[in-house]
């Protein structure tokens, strides 16, 4: 099992507010225009899932499989060239701020791992940075 982790990102909103937004995938509309269009496009979402085309990987659809209010949201792939799980972990740093870390676990054979490790890590880091910057009001 291969594990990829983003750096810890500071979010200037309370943990509960961040959890409320990220645990409802229809709020992912806030990401439109914030992700680099050369890597991410065709964003579609509903309450429990999000689908996006990621270059060079292809279309990825994630659905929420567990919500642990207000600490963690777990997603799994419903459509992806490589099946994986994604966790968003949230911890409070004060009443008005929190920190966030994203983790991906995937069962990758050595050939695939060599091809996608760098773009997957870069994409995970960019997603974490973007999620840390969106408004949670």
């Amino acid at each position: 099992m291969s594990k990829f982790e983003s750096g810890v990102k500071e979010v200037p909103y309370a943990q509960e507010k961040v959890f409320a937004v990220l645990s409802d995938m229809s709020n992912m509309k806030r990401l439109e225009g914030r992700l680099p269009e050369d890597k991410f496009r065709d964003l579609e979402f509903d309450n429990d899932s999000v689908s996006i085309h990621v270059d060079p990987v292809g279309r990825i659809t994630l659905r929420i499989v567990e919500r642990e209010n207000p600490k963690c949201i777990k997603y799994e792939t419903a459509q992806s060239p490589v099946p994986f799980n994604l966790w968003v972990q949230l911890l409070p740093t004060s009443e008005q701020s929190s920190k966030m870390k994203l983790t991906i676990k995937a069962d990758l054979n050595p050939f695939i791992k060599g091809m996608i490790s760098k773009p997957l890590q870069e994409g995970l880091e960019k997603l974490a940075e973007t999620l840390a910057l969106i408004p949670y009001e």
Side-chain angles (χ1 to χ4, degrees):
M1 188 70 69
S2 298
K3 183 176 179 180
F4 302 87
E5 296 179 319
S6 73
V8 175
K9 307 299 179 194
E10 293 292 326
V11 183
Y13 293 92
Q15 177 186 24
E16 293 79 11
K17 285 185 178 185
V18 177
F19 180 87
V21 170
L22 295 180
S23 64
D24 180 352
M25 298 302 281
S26 64
N27 290 317
M28 293 302 102
K29 184 168 185 65
R30 298 171 190 219
L31 291 177
E32 288 182 321
R34 293 181 180 264
L35 296 171
E37 292 180 18
D38 63 326
K39 302 253 189 246
F40 304 96
R41 64 179 188 275
D42 301 330
L43 183 65
E44 299 173 9
F45 44 83
D46 61 28
N47 290 358
D48 292 319
S49 66
V50 64
S51 182
I52 190 166
H53 185 91
V54 180
D55 286 332
V57 179
R59 180 149 297 279
I60 296 176
T61 302
L62 293 170
R63 64 184 162 101
I64 295 175
V65 293
E66 186 177 335
R67 293 171 174 93
E68 188 180 337
N69 193 358
K71 301 187 288 186
C72 185
I73 307 158
K74 295 181 182 179
Y75 308 85
E76 70 179 14
T77 54
Q79 175 186 347
S80 173
V82 177
F84 65 89
N85 294 315
L86 169 70
W87 290 266
V88 176
Q89 297 165 293
L90 302 167
L91 289 172
T93 53
S94 73
E95 287 186 21
Q96 300 302 318
S97 65
S98 55
K99 56 186 175 179
M100 171 191 314
K101 181 170 110 175
L102 278 57
T103 304
I104 287 180
K105 287 189 180 177
D107 194 10
L108 304 174
N109 70 45
F111 178 72
I112 296 291
K113 184 176 181 178
M115 287 183 4
I116 70 167
S117 287
K118 185 177 178 187
L120 186 59
Q121 183 66 48
E122 289 171 355
L124 183 64
E125 197 63 39
K126 183 62 178 172
L127 180 59
E129 290 169 6
T130 302
L131 291 176
L133 295 175
I134 64 173
Y136 288 96
E137 309 244 35

